[in-house]
Amino acid sequence: MNIVFIGAGRLATQFAKALYAKGHTISAVFSRTMESASALTSMVGGFPTDTIAALPLDADAYILAVKDSVLPALITQLKEGREERPMYHTAGSVPMTVFEGVHHHGVIYPMQTFSKERDVDFAHLPIFIEANDDESLKVATELAISVSDNVRQLSSEERRHLHLAAVFACNFSNHCYTLAADILERYGVPFDVLLPLIDETTQKAHTLHPRDAQTGPAVRYDENVIAAQLQLLVDKPLMQQVYDVMSRSIHESSIIPTPHISLND
């Protein structure tokens, strides 16, 4: 397919590279800066531009991989003369209705954390798609299955909750690594001493429900240990609050089953 990318950030870079590797043509890349657009086109071809009006009018698909907040304004500019062309955003929390005035549209949401510097293997990456009509769904499906064998349809409402879960599983977990690194750095201990622990915790998630794998003082709510560790954070009041709230949440989760709501119901 002939694809135009709007955005040249982390997700756009990895997704464009994956599509290009599977034989799709990236005909143009728009970014706010020519430097970013040029960096991506140097890897996947096409021409770079910092002007929406300069983009082709006849692409098979326009993929918007940009900040959520700029989607409405960019769509308004992009749809001029392209109202009949399929357009897709890649955001987890933005509903499909953002494409007001675009006749064929949808969502292609690759659920992963992306960096420009680290290539991502899309082969088994879950990609969630949605579209407003059969034609748009066909294009979204073809693009998604060309790079991944794990493609699922999901509504905007379901995707919002999926994205929320991803924030907890990825962004919040990574922030906990940052807090742990800060504690260790105060005493000259390298962060990599935690890597075997992190790796084992991650591996457990492949075979155990996270609730069943949970260990530590918060599960049994060992007040002596918790109080002592809170005291160690007395000079870090915000981190102290995080520890306290997280400990209470862990304890409550260990005794109160979470209702199961299927994202595919």
Side-chain angles (χ1 to χ4, degrees):
M1 284 193 193
N2 182 344
I3 304 166
V4 167
F5 264 85
I6 294 85
R10 291 171 293 182
L11 190 159
T13 296
Q14 294 301 329
F15 197 13
K17 287 166 65 176
L19 290 168
Y20 175 73
K22 293 300 182 179
H24 296 285
T25 298
I26 312 300
S27 57
V29 174
F30 163 85
S31 180
R32 291 182 298 107
T33 68
M34 282 297 294
E35 180 182 7
S36 295
S38 298
L40 182 49
T41 56
S42 70
M43 293 183 274
V44 300
F47 72 88
T49 181
D50 58 2
T51 306
I52 289 288
L55 294 172
L57 297 174
D58 59 350
D60 296 318
Y62 295 81
I63 297 178
L64 293 97
V66 295
K67 291 194 304 183
D68 296 1
S69 60
V70 303
L71 274 171
L74 283 177
I75 290 169
T76 297
Q77 298 176 58
L78 183 64
K79 72 182 182 183
E80 292 299 324
R82 306 177 185 89
E83 291 87 352
E84 296 295 332
R85 310 312 300 174
M87 298 182 186
Y88 305 89
H89 74 64
T90 57
S93 293
V94 179
M96 203 168 52
T97 52
V98 72
F99 285 107
E100 184 178 356
V102 179
H103 297 165
H104 307 291
H105 58 263
V107 179
I108 305 175
Y109 172 50
M111 192 180 67
Q112 184 55 282
T113 176
F114 294 99
S115 301
K116 285 187 179 181
E117 304 79 11
R118 182 179 173 85
D119 286 344
V120 171
D121 181 4
F122 274 72
H124 308 298
L125 184 73
I127 299 180
F128 298 89
I129 61 174
E130 181 185 16
N132 74 315
D133 57 30
D134 290 342
E135 180 179 339
S136 304
L137 183 61
K138 180 181 178 181
V139 173
T141 301
E142 184 175 336
L143 289 173
I145 65 174
S146 71
V147 296
S148 173
D149 62 10
N150 189 358
V151 178
R152 311 179 188 204
Q153 289 189 51
L154 210 62
S155 70
S156 290
E157 180 63 18
E158 291 171 319
R159 192 178 66 257
R160 288 174 63 229
H161 288 86
L162 174 69
H163 188 241
L164 172 62
V167 167
F168 273 94
C170 175
N171 306 126
F172 287 179
S173 294
N174 191 71
H175 182 60
C176 285
Y177 300 158
T178 300
L179 297 181
D182 289 345
I183 292 170
L184 294 178
E185 286 168 5
R186 284 195 256 175
Y187 297 95
V189 180
F191 178 75
D192 61 14
V193 301
L194 293 179
L195 293 180
L197 177 63
I198 292 170
D199 291 342
E200 176 63 16
T201 303
T202 303
Q203 285 302 311
K204 281 183 180 180
H206 288 266
T207 57
L208 292 173
H209 190 287
R211 190 184 302 110
D212 297 330
Q214 188 71 57
T215 61
V219 173
R220 58 187 182 276
Y221 213 74
D222 188 325
E223 295 187 18
N224 290 331
V225 173
I226 290 171
Q229 294 192 335
L230 283 170
Q231 185 59 34
L232 293 176
L233 296 170
V234 69
D235 62 332
K236 298 278 187 178
L238 183 56
M239 196 184 298
Q240 195 178 52
Q241 290 178 48
V242 171
Y243 181 100
D244 180 47
V245 170
M246 189 76 78
S247 294
R248 287 189 279 114
S249 180
I250 289 171
H251 181 63
E252 290 180 9
S253 295
S254 69
I255 59 177
I256 302 175
T258 302
H260 173 72
I261 302 175
S262 173
L263 289 174
N264 289 310
D265 287 345

